[in-house]
Amino acid sequence: MTSNVNYGLWYDFRNPAPWQENFESFYASRLGQIADAEALGFNSVWLTEHHFCEDGYTPSPLVIAAAIAARTRAMHIGTNLMLLPLHDPVRMAEDAATVSLLSGGRFDLGVGIGYRQLEFDQFGRQLSHRPSLVEEGIEILRRSWSGEPVNFSGKRFTVGDLKVLPAPVHTPKILLGGMAPPAIERAARVADGFLSTGGLGLDNYCEALVSQGKSLDDGNVILGCWAIIAEDPEAEAARIADHILYQTNAYIQWGAFGPPDQATLYDDVFSAIENGLYELWDADMAVSKLKTLVADYPMIRDIHFWAQFPGEPLESGNRRLQYIAEKVLPRLR
């Protein structure tokens, strides 16, 4: 049974130049899509963060999370993910607590260590400090939400005898992403769950839980799925090829999957799919793959899919959402 798993949508709010819309109408239409998706049966939405991107990749996911909270009633809201080392953890704790209060406790905070030199330079952080920035940041978040004085002193941050108020009524889970074994081990050790990209690292996460004396029942996986689900997924991929290639190549150029100077960009969508995170599924295959995944890894609590590829028209994404809602979700529940 997969009925205890949330199935949701993933948004980066990229609005690239070749297809750019007015940003006000762009945000309004995506918020409308999210509200409609809740009515269709999607029960989570996940937001991600980057800075100084020409396509407007959202720098402010917690602001958007609050807007989603106002437009939805039961949908769970999370970040997959925010770049914790770039933030003041007390300030992030205040904003996240506010989103939790506004949403009635429907919010969890997913974070990662980041990788873009440009972002670290602008925010006055060093890439080499990422592990300590993340671990101290998580500790400060937890103390900040306790309603008690923080009283923390570390290598990167010092917070005195201060209470961070208002405290959340429902404390958000802190979820930690990563693809390298040290990052996955850190998620098992210090976070309330693991953000898996495309299903990568699940076995490493299970091994890390066991090696730390934890039970697999203690595990909690939130999985960002890169499957393209449509009645004819090959035709769908060909139809939206430019948007898929834009997404893939931008992440490669930034260094998401390794040093950018050693990476090869794709000029053909099916090469990108074959060598990347994307999978092409129709409804039958989606149901089979997702049921198997959840059976093999019962600690999976949420699986979410890209709602829109960068620059893709809203109606195009809506057709996939409708197909998933009608042909896939009922069979998983």
Side-chain angles (χ1 to χ4, degrees):
M1 288 293 290
T2 59
S3 57
N4 62 338
V5 178
N6 280 342
Y7 291 94
L9 302 174
W10 205 355
Y11 284 87
D12 53 20
F13 295 93
R14 305 176 85 164
N15 186 15
W19 309 282
Q20 192 162 91
E21 302 172 44
N22 171 284
F23 260 101
E24 287 188 357
S25 57
F26 174 84
Y27 274 125
S29 66
R30 270 61 183 175
L31 286 171
Q33 184 183 55
I34 291 165
D36 291 343
E38 181 178 48
L40 285 173
F42 290 95
N43 44 21
S44 70
V45 60
W46 297 84
L47 314 171
T48 183
E49 172 192 27
H50 273 297
H51 298 268
F52 319 116
C53 304
E54 289 188 10
D55 57 22
Y57 195 127
T58 184
S60 302
L62 293 178
V63 176
I64 296 177
I68 293 170
R71 293 289 299 269
T72 55
R73 295 192 303 172
M75 187 176 250
H76 194 80
I77 306 163
T79 54
N80 184 6
L81 44 68
M82 290 190 72
L83 306 169
L84 181 53
L86 305 182
H87 291 266
D88 179 315
V90 171
R91 193 72 191 87
M92 180 184 267
E94 291 175 326
D95 285 344
T98 302
V99 174
S100 179
L101 293 166
L102 288 168
S103 65
R106 292 186 281 133
F107 177 75
D108 287 326
L109 181 67
V111 298
I113 64 172
Y115 52 85
R116 287 180 79 210
Q117 185 72 53
L118 170 75
E119 294 171 329
F120 281 74
D121 290 346
Q122 175 57 36
F123 289 108
R125 302 282 203 247
Q126 292 186 37
L127 279 170
S128 60
H129 293 169
R130 290 179 301 171
S132 53
L133 286 166
V134 162
E135 296 210 19
E136 292 187 17
I138 287 174
E139 179 62 25
I140 291 168
L141 287 168
R142 286 216 169 93
R143 294 189 188 200
S144 296
W145 292 334
S146 71
E148 299 300 322
V150 175
N151 286 320
F152 178 87
S153 181
K155 287 166 69 175
R156 308 294 166 214
F157 301 105
T158 300
V159 185
D161 194 34
L162 299 169
K163 291 183 181 180
V164 179
L165 298 170
V169 175
H170 301 92
T171 304
K173 287 186 173 65
I174 299 173
L175 312 163
L176 185 55
M179 288 186 270
I184 297 167
E185 181 278 330
R186 185 179 298 114
R189 180 167 48 83
V190 304
D192 301 315
F194 169 49
L195 297 168
S196 169
T197 299
L200 299 177
L202 294 177
D203 290 332
N204 302 78
Y205 178 64
C206 293
E207 290 163 10
L209 287 171
V210 171
S211 71
Q212 293 167 33
K214 297 179 180 178
S215 163
L216 293 181
D217 294 338
D218 298 328
N220 177 32
V221 172
I222 307 299
L223 194 149
C225 181
W226 292 60
I228 298 164
I229 303 174
E231 188 165 6
D232 184 341
E234 286 79 12
E236 182 77 359
R239 190 177 65 77
I240 58 170
D242 290 347
H243 307 285
I244 297 170
L245 284 172
Y246 180 95
Q247 183 184 54
T248 306
N249 287 333
Y251 278 125
I252 291 170
Q253 287 171 313
W254 290 349
F257 306 116
D261 54 350
Q262 298 172 24
T264 304
L265 300 182
Y266 294 106
D267 54 14
D268 166 62
V269 72
F270 290 102
S271 297
I273 289 166
E274 189 175 329
N275 297 301
L277 290 164
Y278 302 99
E279 296 188 67
L280 300 180
W281 298 344
D282 63 11
D284 288 344
M285 185 172 285
V287 170
S288 172
K289 293 269 192 180
L290 294 170
K291 281 187 173 181
T292 299
L293 188 61
V294 172
D296 290 345
Y297 300 97
M299 71 285 293
I300 293 175
R301 301 283 180 260
D302 186 287
I303 299 173
H304 47 277
F305 315 95
W306 290 111
Q308 297 278 148
F309 291 92
E312 181 185 12
L314 194 76
E315 304 71 36
S316 174
N318 280 343
R319 283 196 293 273
R320 277 197 311 283
L321 302 195
Q322 191 80 38
Y323 179 77
I324 295 168
E326 290 179 4
K327 306 292 187 185
V328 178
L329 298 186
R331 295 164 63 185
L332 295 171
R333 296 180 178 139

